[in-house]
């Protein structure tokens, strides 16, 4: 029977060319042996996908500890995967610091980028130009920012500068309890209508979750876990009986607070929100058209074409609208 499965792949790669203050992988270096192991692990994974029947419906999202696209083997893997009939999506989380010529080798109907802007690491105009290049090339992508207070001015400016129709998500900062002051969550919701969902640690213990059934996490050794947040292995991708471990399960964790996890909670109905953009975090109403543009719904386009001052809400008092 054909297999329908979303696979979040995370190999050993842990190095990154950026040094974000909120990240434990900032400027980490991998040894030559680490990189060799990562490359070999990825090759094994891609070969496994290539060996699957053409009738399978497989979505792949690379969710590296560090930055993947600075490594040629991840760029090659994405292009290769996107050309397979059994692949419905080949996506990656990236800081977008790499060149983009490699995307020409992939199938743009299946390739997608989950990009994140890190204000302390790259000038906004440079990041926005990369986004415009993605749009010109017809690559499907979302853009996100961590919703720290010191990022608010950049978030506001970014919404005005991104090509209309590109979804800008904001990851709620949840490391500090009750971080947002009065009005701030509403302000962020005006930019990202799905911010309230992300700003919640969803109660999940004992509740049905599709993770482990129609979505799994896979590491470099092929160890399969239901998701990145439940450490207990449930099988191995390279074992003959791999498919037998896929079944409905109840979540053992108290809460689930990341997009890549809670979208698999049926009660949140996020599959209806994101449709086939679930992996790269592009809501279904941001319609993608091959040929170079992502389009929002007509009402969203009307919203985006209003003057920035009207469309971008009153800023909180302590945030300058100049972006300074
Ligand atoms: S770009 Fe991503 S992986 Fe790299 S330091 Fe920043 S948050 Fe961490
Ligand atoms: S609810 Fe979240 S933590 Fe629990 S199994 Fe699902 S994805 Fe994993």
């Amino acid at each position: 029977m054909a297999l329908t499965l979303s696979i979040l792949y995370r190999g050993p790669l842990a190095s990154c060319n950026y040094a974000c203050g909120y990240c434990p992988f900032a400027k980490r270096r991998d040894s030559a042996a680490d990189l060799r192991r990562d490359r070999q692990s990825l090759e094994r994974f891609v070969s496994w996908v290539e060996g699957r029947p053409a009738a399978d419906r497989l979505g792949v999202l690379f969710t590296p500890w560090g930055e993947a696209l600075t490594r040629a083997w991840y760029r090659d893997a994405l292009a290769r995967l996107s050309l397979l009939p059994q692949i419905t999506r080949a996506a990656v989380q990236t800081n977008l610091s790499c060149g983009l010529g490699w995307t020409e080798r992939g199938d743009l109907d299946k390739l997608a980028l989950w990009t994140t802007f890190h204000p302390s690491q790259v000038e906004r105009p440079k990041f926005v130009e990369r986004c415009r290049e993605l749009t010109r090339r017809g690559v499907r992508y979302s853009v996100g920012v961590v919703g720290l207070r010191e990022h608010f001015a950049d978030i506001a400016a970014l919404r005005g500068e991104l090509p209309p129709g590109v979804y800008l998500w904001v990851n709620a900062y949840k490391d500090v309890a009750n971080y947002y002051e009065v009005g701030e969550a509403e302000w962020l919701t005006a930019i990202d209508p799905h911010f309230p969902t992300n700003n919640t640690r969803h109660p999940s213990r004992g509740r049905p979750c599709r993770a482990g059934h129609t979505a799994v996490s896979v590491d470099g050794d092929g160890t399969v876990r239901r998701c990145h947040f439940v450490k207990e292995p449930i099988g191995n991708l390279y074992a003959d009986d791999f498919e037998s471990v896929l079944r409905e399960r109840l979540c053992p964790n108290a809460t689930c607070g990341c997009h890549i996890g809670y979208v698999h909670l049926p009660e949140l109905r996020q599959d209806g929100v994101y449709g086939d953009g679930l992996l790269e975090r592009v809501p279904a109403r941001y319609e993608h058209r091959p040929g170079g543009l992502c389009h929002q719904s007509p009402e969203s386009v009307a919203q985006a074409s209003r003057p920035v001052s009207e469309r971008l809400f009153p800023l909180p008092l302590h945030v300058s609208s100049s972006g300074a």
Side-chain angles (χ1 to χ4, degrees):
M1 202 172 100
L3 178 63
T4 298
L5 189 65
S6 294
I7 303 172
L8 274 59
Y9 176 86
R10 179 178 280 167
L13 184 88
S15 52
C16 184
N17 53 330
Y18 281 4
C20 306
Y22 41 74
C23 177
F25 303 100
K27 290 282 185 192
R28 188 180 285 199
R29 295 177 72 90
D30 285 314
S31 67
D34 292 337
L35 293 176
R36 197 162 45 249
R37 190 163 68 91
D38 185 72
R39 185 174 193 156
Q40 289 166 349
S41 301
L42 185 65
E43 177 60 35
R44 188 181 187 195
F45 173 73
V46 173
S47 297
W48 178 88
V49 177
E50 286 175 334
R52 293 295 310 181
D56 278 3
R57 308 284 79 199
L58 303 177
V60 172
L61 172 64
F62 293 150
T63 56
W65 297 115
E67 173 57 34
L69 288 186
T70 51
R71 310 292 175 184
W73 52 97
Y74 280 95
R75 302 192 294 268
D76 293 345
L78 283 162
R80 231 166 106 187
L81 287 172
S82 72
L83 297 173
L84 297 172
Q86 58 269 39
I87 279 286
T88 56
R89 186 68 80 230
V92 60
Q93 294 178 328
T94 175
N95 62 24
L96 206 57
S97 58
C98 66
L100 298 171
W102 63 274
T103 59
E104 291 173 10
R105 290 185 276 125
D107 179 342
L108 296 184
D109 283 338
K110 298 181 181 179
L111 198 62
L113 272 59
W114 159 316
T115 77
T116 306
F117 172 53
H118 300 286
S120 68
Q121 302 300 302
V122 58
E123 297 293 323
R124 203 179 64 242
K126 189 172 174 188
F127 181 85
V128 170
E129 181 44 42
R130 282 276 160 79
C131 293
R132 291 187 178 138
E133 184 178 346
L134 285 175
T135 297
R136 281 196 300 275
R137 290 178 176 276
V139 179
R140 185 180 173 88
Y141 66 106
S142 68
V143 176
V145 187
V146 177
L148 284 164
R149 196 162 287 117
E150 58 264 35
H151 293 170
F152 283 5
D154 272 312
I155 291 171
L158 195 56
R159 181 58 284 170
E161 294 163 357
L162 284 173
V166 171
Y167 175 52
L168 174 61
W169 47 264
V170 178
N171 260 3
Y173 187 68
K174 299 198 275 284
D175 288 358
V176 175
N178 304 316
Y179 176 74
Y180 294 107
E181 296 173 3
V182 174
E184 291 179 337
E186 292 77 4
W187 185 88
L188 291 167
T189 304
I191 293 183
D192 173 7
H194 305 292
F195 177 78
T197 307
N198 187 265
N199 194 27
T200 304
R201 291 188 191 277
H202 301 277
S204 55
R205 182 169 290 141
R207 305 196 185 198
C209 180
R210 286 190 283 261
H213 188 207
T214 59
V216 290
S217 155
V218 174
D219 71 12
D221 297 326
T223 302
V224 176
R225 296 177 173 84
R226 61 187 86 184
C227 64
H228 286 335
F229 316 107
V230 178
K231 295 290 167 244
E232 177 202 358
I234 59 173
N236 190 286
L237 192 71
Y238 308 123
D240 291 340
D241 65 346
F242 157 67
E243 289 180 56
S244 68
V245 309
L246 301 174
R247 57 181 169 77
E248 290 182 20
R249 291 177 168 84
L250 304 180
C251 177
N253 290 3
T255 61
C256 189
C258 285
H259 172 93
I260 56 174
Y262 62 64
V263 293
H264 303 300
L265 280 168
E267 67 188 61
L268 296 185
R269 301 179 189 279
Q270 295 297 291
D271 45 342
V273 172
Y274 289 91
D276 65 4
L278 197 76
L279 283 181
E280 67 276 20
R281 205 168 173 171
V282 176
R285 72 192 182 91
Y286 291 72
E287 181 191 346
H288 177 71
R289 292 183 186 157
L293 286 174
C294 294
H295 291 276
Q296 284 173 286
S297 61
E299 62 272 22
S300 301
V301 170
Q303 170 81 350
S305 61
R306 288 166 56 202
V308 169
S309 56
E310 279 180 37
R311 139 166 70 100
L312 286 186
F313 39 80
L315 290 164
L317 291 177
H318 57 279
V319 176
S320 156
S321 61
S322 69

